[in-house]
Amino acid sequence: MNICKTMKVLFVSGLLGTLPALALAEETAHTHIGHVMEAWADTPKGKGLLPTAQKEALVAAAHASYSAKALDDLADMQLHAGHVRHALDPSLEAGGGPGLGYGMIKAGEGVIEHITLAAESEDASGNVKTHSEHVVSATANAVARAKLTLIEADAILAATTAEEAAPHAEKMFELADAAIMGRDANGDGQVSWEPDEGGLRVAKDHMELMLKGEGLD
């Protein structure tokens, strides 16, 4: 993002202070784009909501894969199921874990909120409105899969044998991976932004297209 616009985003988000309202009047959509991609006040190190969601999702997918590789070891599956839960929603794991402590679900819901606000801003261009729809759809897919991933993690933690937990570990990894990569739900050989297809990777692709269209890349 252009450094001048980035600084304006940081002021708006409260990270560097405030600017007169008049100076911001024409940049409302870009401000919310900045919250998604560059900076948000309560994320770890003030990073953008989408990069935060991606990092948490990668941690969840990694630990889901570890669980899926330990199908004969209940304790190991349960250890990594707890780590998956922490990365997706740290409020579920009081003891902490390997995630950032923010949660992929919270970050993803923040992406949806702020890119929707960008699209609804009076100054939103056609480019912003079009790609916002794509980003919302792909991110909503990812959040929905993350919530299903938690259900599988809970089933692993409730299991009393490795045999009982194993299918949930495999499903947990499938869902955690799809939250990032998406899936070809309609069998056309592509992963699009449409419902039940794209995940966070597609959301990032469309945010980059949006940035390019706005001259912010």
Side-chain angles (χ1 to χ4, degrees):
M1 184 178 287
N2 178 281
I3 186 62
C4 294
K5 294 185 183 294
T6 300
M7 292 297 290
K8 186 174 288 185
V9 167
L10 293 174
F11 276 109
V12 173
S13 61
L15 297 178
L16 297 179
T18 59
L19 285 177
L22 183 61
L24 303 174
E26 297 180 357
E27 298 292 347
T28 304
H30 288 182
T31 295
H32 289 295
I33 292 169
H35 293 161
V36 171
M37 294 298 285
E38 294 287 332
W40 183 237
D42 74 342
T43 58
K45 298 182 179 180
K47 299 295 185 180
L49 289 159
L50 183 54
T52 300
Q54 289 176 301
K55 286 185 178 181
E56 294 282 53
L58 285 169
V59 172
H63 285 274
S65 74
Y66 302 152
S67 187
K69 292 174 182 175
L71 299 181
D72 60 350
D73 187 333
L74 178 61
D76 206 22
M77 282 187 280
Q78 291 179 330
L79 171 67
H80 293 296
H83 293 167
V84 169
R85 279 164 41 106
H86 181 263
L88 298 180
D89 182 352
S91 71
L92 301 176
E93 290 291 318
L100 300 176
Y102 194 82
M104 178 265 170
I105 292 173
K106 179 180 178 180
E109 290 175 342
V111 169
I112 292 170
E113 177 184 359
H114 283 278
I115 209 59
T116 298
L117 289 170
E120 292 176 349
S121 299
E122 290 186 4
D123 62 319
S125 67
N127 168 64
V128 169
K129 292 177 181 179
T130 295
H131 289 297
S132 291
E133 178 185 357
H134 304 165
V135 172
V136 166
S137 179
T139 306
N141 291 337
V143 170
R145 289 170 187 143
K147 291 178 179 180
L148 292 174
T149 301
L150 288 176
I151 293 173
E152 300 300 331
D154 289 345
I156 293 167
L157 294 175
T160 57
T161 67
E163 183 179 14
E164 181 185 355
H168 297 290
E170 292 176 320
K171 187 66 175 178
M172 181 173 70
F173 172 63
E174 176 188 331
L175 289 163
D177 182 65
I180 301 169
M181 302 301 296
R183 65 172 189 160
D184 179 14
N186 62 12
D188 67 354
Q190 300 180 3
V191 176
S192 76
W193 55 266
E194 296 173 340
D196 205 32
E197 289 233 348
L200 292 179
R201 176 166 291 188
V202 170
K204 181 176 182 289
D205 289 344
H206 283 274
M207 282 303 307
E208 290 177 346
L209 289 170
M210 185 191 300
L211 291 174
K212 185 175 182 180
E214 296 300 294
L216 300 174
D217 57 340

